[in-house]
Amino acid sequence: MDSRDRRTYLVAALVAVVLGGIFVAVVIADRGQRASSTPPEGVESFEDLTRNHTQEVVSYPQSPPVGGDHNPVWQNAGFYEEPVRNETAVHIMEHGGVWITYSPDLPQDQKDKLQEIVKSQDCVLASPFRDLPEGVPVVASAWGKQIRLDSADDLNLERFVSAFRKGPQTPEPGASCTGGTGAPS
């Protein structure tokens, strides 16, 4: 084999190794992305949710609500130190948002964790909620989906957000999560 053939062979081998490495990296990244968007265990699902706009106060069957009739104006995504109206929060879920509700007496480090999650992506809303189930400090809700969590550090919170923020259950995919009402912290 002369030097020209050897160079051609080495270049071809190098290209094959690089392409093989790229293929392996893509497969690994795809598996990781699919795993992170898999819903966690413990998610409750709710069907047949109405979607009418109303100015009235709505009595929801779930607390916090997971969908149903709602205000014509949605709550802006972001972190809130004060409670928000159920009817505006439900509207952002219709747009693909995730509403994280937390106990008003949640420790500051837990609130900081929630704020981190909210600021790291769009269409996520977090606000205190006075009527969470007894002993449940954090509840995450998306349209028709909900999970109760023991803390903001629970890895299932981020899995829930990955699975349902702008997820397949979203009635109005592509709708805005800003330009509504409220000024997050």
Side-chain angles (χ1 to χ4, degrees):
M1 182 183 291
D2 69 8
S3 65
R4 179 182 281 172
D5 290 340
R6 199 173 310 169
R7 247 182 295 178
T8 303
Y9 175 76
L10 287 173
V11 168
L14 182 61
V15 167
V17 167
V18 168
L19 290 175
I22 290 171
F23 176 76
V24 168
V26 167
V27 167
I28 290 171
D30 182 57
R31 282 185 184 162
Q33 185 174 357
R34 273 191 271 141
S36 70
S37 66
T38 302
E41 288 187 29
V43 173
E44 291 182 82
S45 295
F46 303 88
E47 308 271 330
D48 301 321
L49 300 168
T50 58
R51 294 180 41 212
N52 301 307
H53 287 173
T54 180
Q55 298 285 346
E56 305 298 318
V57 173
V58 178
S59 177
Y60 293 100
Q62 306 86 24
S63 183
V66 297
D69 293 350
H70 52 271
N71 193 278
V73 179
W74 57 91
Q75 191 73 35
N76 287 323
F79 184 85
Y80 292 81
E81 296 277 353
E82 297 295 325
V84 300
R85 289 190 59 213
N86 288 344
E87 295 80 10
T88 56
V90 167
H91 195 155
I92 196 174
M93 290 190 291
E94 184 184 40
H95 289 190
V98 170
W99 183 21
I100 303 169
T101 50
Y102 62 89
S103 173
D105 61 355
L106 193 69
Q108 188 59 48
D109 67 315
Q110 295 284 296
K111 290 180 188 177
D112 293 343
K113 176 65 178 176
L114 293 177
Q115 197 163 25
E116 217 176 271
I117 292 168
V118 168
K119 287 187 175 188
S120 70
Q121 53 210 320
D122 67 335
C123 281
V124 180
L125 161 69
S127 66
F129 195 86
R130 289 186 178 91
D131 296 322
L132 288 178
E134 182 71 31
V136 179
V138 178
V139 175
S141 306
W143 191 269
K145 306 292 182 185
Q146 189 170 80
I147 189 167
R148 296 174 180 194
L149 303 159
D150 293 329
S151 78
D153 292 319
D154 189 325
L155 295 178
N156 285 326
L157 175 57
E158 293 191 52
R159 287 184 66 202
F160 183 92
V161 172
S162 291
F164 297 114
R165 184 182 66 86
K166 299 180 179 181
Q169 82 295 338
T170 301
E172 292 183 7
S176 180
C177 293
T178 61
T181 189
S185 312

